[in-house]
Amino acid sequence: RLEALRDVVQDLGAHPACQQRPLHQQAQTLLRFLRGRDGDVARAEAMFRASMDWRRDFDVDAKVEAWRQELHEGATRRAQLVRTYGTDMDICRDRLG
């Protein structure tokens, strides 16, 4: 099923949400969508496509990059609090960056 989902979303390579990170090729990402739809490939595909459109519409990648820059510079109170108290995990990182 995972391979079937990967095959039907291959056309998303040109999607703006997949430009920086190839989400449509990441098995762990696709598996989450399959599990979220109880293994139904058609429903998982629809959910994945809607998610990619949402990421594009809300400019998620740019917002994450802006937050990383803010954290790196440490100039805001929010960034200082994160540096002081830490976080449980790095923001939106996976093995592909």
Side-chain angles (χ1 to χ4, degrees):
R1 291 185 200 164
L2 183 58
E3 290 175 5
L5 179 58
R6 185 178 297 177
D7 290 343
V8 296
V9 297
Q10 280 306 306
D11 63 311
L12 290 175
H15 195 284
C18 294
Q19 292 299 305
Q20 287 184 316
R21 294 173 56 212
L23 297 170
H24 68 293
Q25 294 176 346
Q26 296 178 355
Q28 72 273 21
T29 300
L30 297 176
L31 186 58
R32 277 191 231 112
F33 284 89
L34 265 177
R35 287 180 177 164
R37 292 298 176 240
D38 296 322
D40 185 323
V41 174
R43 290 176 49 214
E45 175 193 4
M47 184 180 178
F48 185 78
R49 288 180 185 279
S51 175
M52 293 303 102
D53 290 341
W54 178 86
R55 288 180 68 89
R56 177 199 60 217
D57 295 344
F58 285 93
D59 204 14
V60 171
D61 293 328
K63 289 176 183 175
V64 168
E65 187 56 39
W67 167 240
R68 285 184 178 151
Q69 186 64 33
E70 178 183 327
L71 185 60
H72 176 73
E73 292 170 1
T76 64
R77 178 74 176 138
R78 178 172 53 178
Q80 291 168 0
L81 287 170
V82 169
R83 281 194 169 170
T84 301
Y85 298 105
T87 60
D88 291 337
M89 58 189 246
D90 198 2
I91 300 170
C92 299
R93 290 271 174 145
D94 63 9
R95 67 181 179 82
L96 298 174

